[in-house]
Amino acid sequence: MTTPRTLAAGAAALACLMLAGCSETPPKIEPGTGLTLPTRAPQDRPVAPNLTAPDLMTGKTLKLNTYRGKVVVLNGWSFTCGPCRAETPALQRFQDKNAKNVQVIGLTQDDNQDTSRSFIREFKLTYPSFADRNGKQILRMPRGEFNPQFLPYTAFIDRKGRLAATVSGTITEGRLTAITQRLIKEKP
């Protein structure tokens, strides 16, 4: 039985759906995937915090703002995370192909540095990684970007040090390329 209340609720839901599809610019679609790219407009990007910690392999202090001028791909991982292990080879290949304009940085939440170092050796990672025990570093990112309790996650920081996009879950090399290419093309 259709009641006035049911009709009103249905009309409101329909209006919301119609308005949700309206925007000034259409969403960017990753070629060949149909996935919407999550990149923010430059004027809407918050400044990324200057995460600082020792590199797991060298012990040298790693500072995020050292990489200004490059697009930074900050990837959260754990030794025991299956999806993290699955995406790591793509991140290394991506770094190898794009080292001129992009810097991948790993951010592990593992408490055991020896375990983290064995992960780095296992995957022959050449990009730096640092420990983020208890998620303190990633919690300095603007609130609500992603949940650091769920791994993996990836943050894209533009050449001016602003948070341009975040992706929760496994990321592919194609998606890495699509997002970073847009950021590389922006004027520094």
Side-chain angles (χ1 to χ4, degrees):
M1 173 180 215
T2 305
T3 65
R5 179 180 253 177
T6 305
L7 287 173
L14 181 60
C16 287
L17 285 172
M18 291 172 59
L19 290 172
C22 297
S23 65
E24 291 181 27
T25 57
K28 305 291 185 199
I29 305 296
E30 181 178 342
T33 66
L35 295 173
T36 302
L37 295 177
T39 309
R40 287 186 175 91
Q43 67 273 14
D44 296 332
R45 296 176 187 164
V47 174
N50 184 27
L51 307 182
T52 304
D55 180 277
L56 284 165
M57 297 306 281
T58 66
K60 293 180 182 178
T61 300
L62 178 64
K63 294 181 180 184
L64 188 59
N65 70 3
T66 302
Y67 299 100
R68 290 253 170 103
K70 284 189 170 190
V71 173
V72 173
V73 176
L74 183 67
N75 178 258
W77 59 272
S78 172
F79 180 81
T80 58
C81 166
C84 301
R85 298 177 73 75
E87 75 179 2
T88 297
L91 285 157
Q92 182 60 56
R93 282 190 307 274
F94 180 77
Q95 177 63 53
D96 292 343
K97 292 177 188 175
N98 298 282
K100 180 180 175 185
N101 295 308
V102 178
Q103 180 61 58
V104 175
I105 298 174
L107 185 64
T108 180
Q109 293 185 344
D110 293 323
D111 287 333
N112 186 323
Q113 289 189 8
D114 291 333
T115 303
S116 297
R117 287 185 192 104
S118 71
F119 179 93
I120 292 167
R121 285 190 293 271
E122 177 184 344
F123 288 100
K124 299 176 178 72
L125 301 182
T126 60
Y127 56 83
S129 288
F130 62 92
D132 186 19
R133 286 185 203 88
N134 302 317
K136 289 181 182 179
Q137 293 285 343
I138 203 63
L139 288 175
R140 293 177 53 207
M141 285 290 188
R143 189 178 189 127
E145 290 302 322
F146 38 74
N147 185 340
Q149 294 175 329
F150 297 103
L151 293 170
Y153 55 79
T154 306
F156 294 83
I157 300 164
D158 69 16
R159 294 187 288 175
K160 293 182 179 180
R162 300 171 303 183
L163 187 60
T166 57
V167 174
S168 294
T170 306
I171 193 155
T172 64
E173 196 169 350
R175 197 158 204 208
L176 285 163
T177 300
I179 294 171
T180 57
Q181 289 306 310
R182 290 181 52 205
L183 297 174
I184 289 168
K185 290 177 184 176
E186 294 176 357
K187 294 180 181 178

